[in-house]
Amino acid sequence: MDKLRAVLSGRDGNTDSTPNIIEAANEASTLSWRTRVRGFGVCMGLGIFCSILGVCCLFFPKIGLILFIVFYTLGNICSLTSTLFLMGPLKQLKRMFDKTRVIATVVMLVCLVLTLCAVFWWKIFALTLLFVILQAIAFAWYGLSYIPFARDAILKFFSTMCKMCIKCQCD
């Protein structure tokens, strides 16, 4: 069984060799499927709760917008963290920075950081709202990258809509 496990994990089948640091860390941090699903559920639930709480905070005078931005960004971070439980951190990070989704990942992470910088350090609310909108679009685009042909369908839809609008304006 150990030989089969070694072959499936990418080692050459030679059990005498010691695993490198990444393999050792990956083997030491393996969780059972049940624990992974629970971790995913807790993080995803916390992310959804923070996002909903952020929307509810919009109705507070003066501080509501700041609370919305903080809770919405925290909810996105928790939702993103939840996916690390399902695949494992190394595999998920490799998939996040795959050539098909590297732009969406970088834009999403940069917008997460810039949103918090704009609200706490720069205190420019128009810029903060722009970053929240970009954050939502980038997070959606990143999520769509895991669904086969979803991004192509969205691009085709908007392309068709633009052509229809141009045609209507010309007539």
Side-chain angles (χ1 to χ4, degrees):
M1 189 65 157
D2 289 334
K3 286 187 178 188
L4 178 63
R5 186 179 206 182
V7 169
L8 292 176
S9 68
R11 287 184 265 159
D12 61 358
N14 186 2
T15 57
D16 294 337
S17 66
T18 58
N20 64 24
I21 292 174
I22 295 174
E23 289 174 354
N26 199 17
E27 287 179 10
S29 65
T30 56
L31 301 172
S32 70
W33 180 248
R34 188 176 190 174
T35 305
R36 287 176 185 253
V37 171
R38 284 182 181 170
F40 169 77
V42 167
C43 283
M44 184 59 77
L46 190 60
I48 292 170
F49 174 74
C50 286
S51 296
I52 292 171
L53 185 62
V55 171
C56 292
C57 288
L58 275 173
F59 300 108
F60 295 155
K62 294 184 182 178
I63 196 164
L65 186 61
I66 294 172
L67 290 174
F68 163 73
I69 291 165
V70 170
F71 281 122
Y72 180 77
T73 303
L74 185 63
N76 280 343
I77 291 170
C78 288
S79 297
L80 187 62
T81 304
S82 71
T83 61
L84 297 176
F85 281 99
L86 292 181
M87 292 187 193
L90 293 176
K91 187 183 276 187
Q92 179 62 20
L93 287 174
K94 285 179 185 177
R95 290 190 73 190
M96 283 175 68
F97 290 99
D98 188 38
K99 69 178 184 174
T100 59
R101 57 182 71 92
V102 68
I103 294 172
T105 300
V106 169
V107 170
M108 178 183 57
L109 294 175
V110 166
C111 285
L112 285 170
V113 171
L114 289 177
T115 301
L116 294 175
C117 288
V119 77
F120 289 121
W121 285 284
W122 305 325
K123 298 184 184 196
I124 304 172
F125 290 113
L127 189 62
T128 305
L129 288 176
L130 175 69
F131 288 137
V132 166
I133 291 167
L134 291 174
Q135 182 185 134
I137 292 169
F139 200 79
W141 194 251
Y142 168 78
L144 286 173
S145 72
Y146 285 97
I147 303 170
F149 305 110
R151 295 195 299 184
D152 293 334
I154 297 291
L155 288 175
K156 187 169 183 162
F157 171 76
F158 281 111
S159 166
T160 304
M161 295 307 279
C162 288
K163 288 177 186 176
M164 288 174 57
C165 288
I166 291 170
K167 185 179 178 183
C168 288
Q169 288 178 357
C170 291
D171 291 339

